């Protein structure tokens, strides 16, 4: 198993953000997961470009940026350039011309991801799957950290893994929401490749040790 661990900065201490970023830099984590919320697509607001630029400057690992915003097309260039995205993920539910949006992201040399809300079936991805580098399955309703993992996600992971195999693709499956030491094995067994971990890492007594455990 070679799962990618992506701590979600949404659960970091924003009063000591540089310190928490440094902790992730020095840990066994692979990526930084950065959640962008617009108060419209989801009932919460998170960070904007000033904070994202600070993160991009301090982070020494790839930035996995998850856009929970309507009209993501308006900001793709800025997230890729100012935000130094390694992978930029947009929501299926927020894109009218998803194919065009993914092409735009990839034309900027950035990996393109599609996120699905818990109610959106993976079967809808059949025709667009070859265009995506990563599929993010929300395992909670998006908008907040610290929620409980929705168990039906495990079946969605298995279904999606089969679709990826059938099409001979190497698309990564990322699981976001309620992931931690109690369920990461089930998620990996089902076919999850990237584990987003917010609360389970940052609220644990020893975050670097928790990351190591999730990684190993
Ligand atoms: C929620 C975000 C998640 C969130 C996960 O909408 O997309 O990335 O930070 O937090 P936890 O791991 O605490 O559920
Ligand atoms: Zn996220």
């Amino acid at each position: 198993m070679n799962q990618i661990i992506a701590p979600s900065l949404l659960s970091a201490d924003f009063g000591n953000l540089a310190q928490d970023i440094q902790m992730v830099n020095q840990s066994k984590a692979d990526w930084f997961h950065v959640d962008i919320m617009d108060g419209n697509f989801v009932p919460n607001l998170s960070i904007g470009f000033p904070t994202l630029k600070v993160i991009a400057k301090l982070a020494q690992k790839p930035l996995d940026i998850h856009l929970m915003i309507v009209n993501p097309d308006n900001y793709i260039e800025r997230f890729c350039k100012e935000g130094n995205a390694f992978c930029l993920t947009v929501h299926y539910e927020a894109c009218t011309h998803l194919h065009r949006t993914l092409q735009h992201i990839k034309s900027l040399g950035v990996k393109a991801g599609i996120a699905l809300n818990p109610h959106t079936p993976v079967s809808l991805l059949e025709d667009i799957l070859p265009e995506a580098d990563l599929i993010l399955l929300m395992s909670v309703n998006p908008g907040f950290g610290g929620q409980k993992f929705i168990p039906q996600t495990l079946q969605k992971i298995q279904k999606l893994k089969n679709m990826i195999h059938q099409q001979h693709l190497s698309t990564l499956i990322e699981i976001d929401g309620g992931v931690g030491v109690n369920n990461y094995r089930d998620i990996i067994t089902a076919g999850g490749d990237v584990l987003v971990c917010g609360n389970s890492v940052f609220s644990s007594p020893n975050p670097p040790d928790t990351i190591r455990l999730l990684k190993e």
Side-chain angles (χ1 to χ4, degrees), residues 8 33-35 66 68 136 138 176 196:
S8 169
H33 185 80
V34 186
D35 290 298
H66 176 193
M68 284 161 275
L136 183 159
M138 283 305 312
D176 187 4
V196 176

Side-chain angles (χ1 to χ4, degrees), residues 135-163:
I135 304 296
L136 183 159
L137 297 181
M138 283 305 312
S139 39
V140 298
N141 282 295
F144 303 91
Q147 302 181 78
K148 205 173 155 301
F149 181 83
I150 298 173
Q152 287 85 345
T153 312
L154 294 174
Q155 279 114 60
K156 286 179 84 172
I157 301 172
Q158 286 166 346
K159 266 193 209 166
L160 178 58
K161 200 73 176 181
N162 286 337
M163 288 167 68

Side-chain angles (χ1 to χ4, degrees), residues 187-204:
I187 294 167
I188 294 164
T189 305
D193 304 297
V194 185
L195 306 181
V196 176
C197 304
N199 203 51
S200 64
V201 162
F202 287 99
S203 299
S204 71

Side-chain angles (χ1 to χ4, degrees), residues 9 17 21 32 34 47 51-59 63:
L9 288 177
L17 187 56
I21 291 174
F32 283 87
V34 186
I47 63 169
T51 312
L52 180 59
K53 280 198 239 175
V54 172
I55 294 169
K57 200 170 129 207
L58 299 176
L63 295 191

